[in-house]
Amino acid sequence: MQTIKLSNGVEMPQMGYGVYQIPPEECERCVSDALNVGYRMIDTAQAYWNEEGVGRAWKKSGIRREDIFLVTKVWISNYGEGQTMKSIEESLRKLQTDYIDLMLLHQPFCDRYGAYRDLEKAYKSGKLRAIGVSNFYPDHLVDLAANMEIAPMVNQVETHVFNQQLEARKYMDEIGTRIMSWGPLAEGKNNFFHYPTLAGIGAKHNKSVAQVALRWLIQSGVIIIPKSSRKERMAENLNIFDFELDADDMSAIAMLDEKRSLFIDHHDGQMAKQFMDWRSLVKPAQ
Ligand SMILES: NC(=O)c1ccc[n+]([C@@H]2O[C@H](COP(=O)([O-])OP(=O)(O)OC[C@H]3O[C@@H](n4cnc5c(N)ncnc54)[C@H](OP(=O)(O)O)[C@@H]3O)[C@@H](O)[C@H]2O)c1
């Protein structure tokens, strides 16, 4: 698997498997299938309620801990100095490991400074190999990086052919933050899996729309974690390292950028209020 070097020198697989919206009772089977077809990086979160399933699957796989890259995220109900540390301990227990490869702050709301200070402490003590954020757009990212000791190494944001994040990437590049895509297949929105431009490029290379879109992200230097509950699609999505998009393909896909989210506006006041309600999604760690 191709890797991307983070600012602290850690090599992270450029492609992994995401488990958002996979119910807790299905997660172990899905992650076992994903490891079986060759994924070695798993992306979960406290707010997906399935960290235990990830932990059971990698433990049973027989794969050495150092050959797996585990990513999880702190939910906003666990933000704040001391509280975030308790939640890191809880995630470690659920994932059945004594270190996490990459831990992110999931959202730019609530006490993100206190939370990030705990990430820094846990990083320094070796519980976390790398730290970063998710859904931090330039305003929040610049602010956090300027006020914390260690700049976020990764920022996981919605990134796909219809929302390419070119402007946000300029700020990430300045700070030394690597971009990681969530929703690399746009969760199928915008007629994604039948989109004519992508289907045409796919026909040329004998690849599916999903494979073209994921390959485009890989060639654009983005870390990706597509989700599928189906083993055959997990394998299909991983099978993108035997072809290359040419300059014409890349410019045709560049034209698809709508420069806006298909999901959520983190700057909208109503959405901020919604997040305050979503604090209760995860019980604070004890
Ligand atoms: N940080 C955040 O706020 C945030 C937000 C969202 C997601 N994420 C992370 O990013 C990961 C990926 O994003 P996502 O799950 O939202 O969406 P996604 O990977 O863009 O799309 C997943 C959807 O595409 C379908 N699919 C997958 N491969 C396919 C294929 N080859 N052909 C046809 N359909 C296919 C899946 O259906 P089936 O399962 O039925 O195959 C599922 O409905 C998540 O799992 C999570 O780890 C993070």
Side-chain angles (χ1 to χ4, degrees), residues 1-281:
M1 172 57 60
Q2 261 171 232
T3 59
I4 290 249
K5 192 184 270 204
L6 305 183
S7 57
N8 64 345
V10 164
E11 298 273 356
M12 171 172 185
Q14 197 180 352
M15 180 165 190
Y17 174 70
V19 297
Y20 176 48
Q21 289 173 327
I22 296 183
E25 62 280 9
E26 254 195 81
C27 188
E28 182 181 335
R29 190 274 300 164
C30 287
V31 175
S32 299
D33 283 350
L35 294 173
N36 203 259
V37 302
Y39 290 86
R40 287 295 179 270
M41 185 240 291
I42 308 294
D43 179 86
T44 180
Q46 293 170 354
Y48 301 168
W49 307 290
N50 56 19
E51 288 174 306
E52 286 102 330
V54 174
R56 283 195 299 274
W58 88 259
K59 268 289 190 188
K60 285 184 188 169
S61 72
I63 299 168
R64 292 183 312 171
R65 176 67 188 88
E66 58 269 39
D67 294 330
I68 294 192
F69 197 99
L70 294 176
V71 185
T72 191
K73 314 180 195 82
V74 184
W75 188 243
I76 49 180
S77 52
N78 276 321
Y79 280 15
E81 236 166 324
Q83 184 57 39
T84 298
M85 192 59 83
K86 278 190 212 163
S87 88
I88 292 170
E89 296 294 347
E90 190 173 84
S91 289
L92 286 167
R93 277 195 301 278
K94 289 182 174 174
L95 290 166
Q96 301 195 43
T97 179
D98 50 11
Y99 69 91
I100 290 163
D101 294 281
L102 171 64
M103 192 132 194
L104 308 175
L105 297 189
H106 205 148
Q107 300 290 347
F109 299 111
C110 305
D111 183 6
R112 51 193 185 273
Y113 303 100
Y116 198 82
R117 272 193 283 275
D118 270 4
L119 291 195
E120 290 180 329
K121 277 185 217 149
Y123 170 69
K124 287 179 186 169
S125 72
K127 287 177 188 164
L128 309 177
R129 288 180 69 219
I131 58 175
V133 293
S134 176
N135 298 303
F136 278 54
Y137 289 98
D139 47 359
H140 291 128
L141 183 70
V142 167
D143 177 284
L144 191 81
N147 287 292
M148 295 289 122
E149 193 188 326
I150 305 169
M153 295 159 195
V154 170
N155 188 10
Q156 186 181 116
V157 291
E158 176 193 341
T159 313
H160 46 72
V161 295
F162 302 124
N163 188 16
Q164 304 188 4
Q165 301 290 7
L166 299 185
E167 190 58 27
R169 285 189 74 172
K170 288 184 198 158
Y171 291 91
M172 293 187 214
D173 289 347
E174 269 177 36
I175 292 167
T177 303
R178 292 297 196 168
I179 184 169
M180 181 171 184
S181 150
W182 66 253
L185 305 169
E187 285 186 20
K189 286 180 190 288
N190 250 13
N191 192 31
F192 185 89
F193 292 110
H194 304 283
Y195 205 83
T197 310
L198 301 174
I201 296 171
K204 182 169 129 188
H205 294 282
N206 203 17
K207 290 285 178 184
S208 69
V209 163
Q211 289 170 322
V212 168
L214 295 173
R215 179 71 208 178
W216 170 78
L217 285 164
I218 290 288
Q219 285 184 216
S220 306
V222 179
I223 301 162
I224 58 173
I225 41 166
K227 172 262 173 188
S228 176
S229 299
R230 302 203 208 169
K231 195 172 180 182
E232 71 280 8
R233 286 182 178 169
M234 296 175 194
E236 174 191 330
N237 294 345
L238 196 57
N239 183 19
I240 55 169
F241 295 95
D242 60 351
F243 79 114
E244 200 159 339
L245 299 174
D246 59 32
D248 289 344
D249 302 332
M250 295 300 280
S251 22
I253 296 175
M255 304 286 287
L256 303 183
D257 193 6
E258 295 178 15
K259 300 187 172 72
R260 63 175 183 93
S261 171
L262 300 187
F263 294 84
I264 180 174
D265 177 0
H266 279 84
H267 302 288
D268 176 60
Q270 287 306 319
M271 190 41 72
K273 280 166 77 177
Q274 179 71 74
F275 270 103
M276 296 311 113
D277 292 342
W278 285 338
R279 273 179 296 193
S280 59
L281 287 178

